[in-house]
Amino acid sequence: MTKRLDLRVDFAFKSLFGTHGNESILAAFLNAALRLPEEKKITTIHLLDPHFNKEYQEDKRSILDVHAQLEDGTRINIEIQLNNKHDMEKRTLYYWSKMYSSQMKEGMDYGELCQTITINIVNFRYLSHINHYHSIFQLYEREERLLLTDMLEIHFMELPKLLIKWRRKEVDPREDQLVRWLLLLEASEDEEITQVLEEIAMQEDQVLKKAIDEWERVSQDPEVLLAYEARRKALLDEKSALKRAESRGEEKGRKETIKNMALGMIQKGIDNETISDLTGLTQEEINNLRHQ
């Protein structure tokens, strides 16, 4: 069997979920993600340009997000992130606001604005104080827990948390369709997950079967593979750059801590030799601190 694309890479994700002709795959994922009742299931979905309008053509936003509109006007944006840039909540609110406000046209009433939903699928633990792999945020009054409006809805789906639950047999893709779709993103690296999902696809889920067949097809397309490898390399380079930045930040913090320790010892009248033994600073560095 051909090695399939890693669907956690945003380019591969969009090739499967955000390509014209695959709307039924995206609709199935969203029905599972939004937990919609049967009478409100998504049947029609329109893929939109992720650049919300010409005003934002120079935006830093990746065009690899999946941006769609439902029949009732609801806007949905799906972003998948391999690397933790430590700014997810601010970026999410910033882009949610632009997606929401981009609906407004000249002469339009505020009441015509439609619900706007962002879905962040992340390949790292983000909400450390929450055990759930799927978290949903809305606007509530703090004391009464009263929903102000359903216009804003932000989802975080943390793949590492889901994998832990999968290994502990706390989730079952046969019973939970969202688990099914999110595990598909991990399937290229896990034969057991692949086997289970293929069995489900053959036995009961025609849309999942279509997704697996399409995934197999795009994984053999030379043009797709070329673009995929370029994007995967860019993400690996980004990950290395983030690690280097974190290392520099940690080293800077360590030096600052040592410096503060030394200053405290100087204020207490401790001699240079003792300070040097305890902090590792040279005599010259200590003397410079004394003259600050």
Side-chain angles (χ1 to χ4, degrees):
M1 185 181 68
T2 305
K3 173 70 174 175
R4 291 167 177 165
L5 304 182
D6 183 348
L7 294 174
R8 296 168 300 184
V9 174
D10 49 15
F11 176 83
F13 182 87
K14 186 168 186 177
S15 295
L16 183 60
F17 290 90
T19 301
H20 291 289
N22 291 347
E23 285 87 351
S24 62
I25 297 173
L26 178 60
F29 169 77
L30 290 174
N31 281 325
L34 302 178
R35 308 289 190 190
L36 295 175
E38 196 62 39
E39 66 275 11
K40 292 187 178 181
K41 291 289 187 186
I42 299 166
T43 56
T44 303
I45 193 165
H46 302 286
L47 292 169
L48 302 174
D49 184 343
H51 287 119
F52 306 132
N53 55 43
K54 292 181 180 180
E55 179 183 353
Y56 301 127
Q57 286 296 323
E58 300 304 317
D59 199 304
K60 294 179 180 179
R61 183 180 191 79
S62 170
I63 61 170
L64 295 175
D65 291 0
V66 175
H67 186 38
Q69 182 173 329
L70 306 184
E71 276 190 292
D72 64 358
T74 297
R75 297 286 184 93
I76 301 176
N77 198 75
I78 308 171
E79 179 180 4
I80 188 161
Q81 283 285 343
L82 275 177
N83 303 318
N84 187 358
K85 300 175 184 177
H86 305 290
D87 58 359
M88 282 293 294
E89 70 283 353
K90 292 180 179 179
R91 292 175 66 252
T92 294
L93 285 172
Y94 175 67
Y95 290 124
W96 175 90
S97 68
K98 290 175 69 172
M99 185 165 60
Y100 183 67
S101 62
S102 70
Q103 301 175 62
M104 182 62 74
K105 309 301 179 188
E106 187 175 350
M108 183 176 171
D109 187 86
Y110 287 113
E112 298 177 62
L113 292 171
C114 295
Q115 184 183 35
T116 300
I117 301 170
T118 61
I119 298 175
N120 300 293
I121 305 172
V122 298
N123 196 43
F124 48 85
R125 292 182 67 93
Y126 179 65
L127 302 167
S128 58
H129 54 292
I130 297 176
N131 291 324
H132 304 304
Y133 67 89
H134 181 198
S135 304
I136 305 171
F137 295 87
Q138 293 181 287
L139 288 175
Y140 285 90
E141 199 284 324
R142 184 178 296 176
E143 298 296 329
E144 300 294 331
R145 300 295 297 165
L146 176 69
L147 182 66
L148 176 65
T149 174
D150 67 353
M151 290 294 101
L152 179 148
E153 189 170 304
I154 295 174
H155 295 241
F156 285 95
M157 300 178 183
E158 300 171 80
L159 296 179
K161 290 181 180 178
L162 175 62
L163 278 179
I164 290 172
K165 290 183 178 294
W166 156 256
R167 293 185 184 116
R168 292 176 177 171
K169 302 188 184 303
E170 295 175 1
V171 294
D172 186 349
R174 292 179 178 85
E175 298 177 358
D176 191 318
Q177 291 190 0
L178 180 58
V179 170
R180 193 178 301 178
W181 286 108
L182 291 178
L183 284 179
L184 183 67
L185 307 186
E186 298 283 352
S188 66
E189 302 295 327
D190 192 308
E191 291 184 9
E192 182 184 0
I193 290 176
T194 300
Q195 183 178 349
V196 169
L197 293 180
E198 287 179 343
E199 288 175 0
I200 294 171
M202 293 299 294
Q203 294 168 5
E204 62 181 277
D205 193 331
Q206 289 300 308
V207 181
L208 181 62
K209 185 179 186 304
K210 177 181 178 179
I212 292 174
D213 290 344
E214 178 66 9
W215 181 26
E216 180 77 19
R217 187 192 68 78
V218 298
S219 296
Q220 299 179 57
D221 186 316
E223 291 187 12
V224 171
L225 284 172
L226 191 64
Y228 165 78
E229 288 299 337
R231 179 57 179 164
R232 193 169 70 90
K233 181 181 182 302
L235 290 170
L236 289 172
D237 290 344
E238 178 185 84
K239 185 175 182 178
S240 296
L242 287 169
K243 282 188 175 180
R244 288 195 298 271
E246 287 175 0
S247 296
R248 287 195 295 269
E250 289 172 2
E251 179 62 17
K252 182 178 179 181
R254 187 184 70 84
K255 289 181 177 178
E256 191 66 24
T257 299
I258 291 173
K259 174 185 172 182
N260 290 334
M261 286 174 57
L263 285 169
M265 294 178 192
I266 289 170
Q267 290 171 2
K268 292 180 180 179
I270 298 175
D271 61 274
N272 282 13
E273 187 174 347
T274 302
I275 295 174
S276 180
D277 289 341
L278 292 173
T279 64
L281 295 176
T282 65
Q283 296 285 338
E284 181 181 359
E285 289 172 326
I286 296 168
N287 283 329
N288 287 338
L289 290 175
R290 288 186 182 278
H291 290 92
Q292 281 188 4

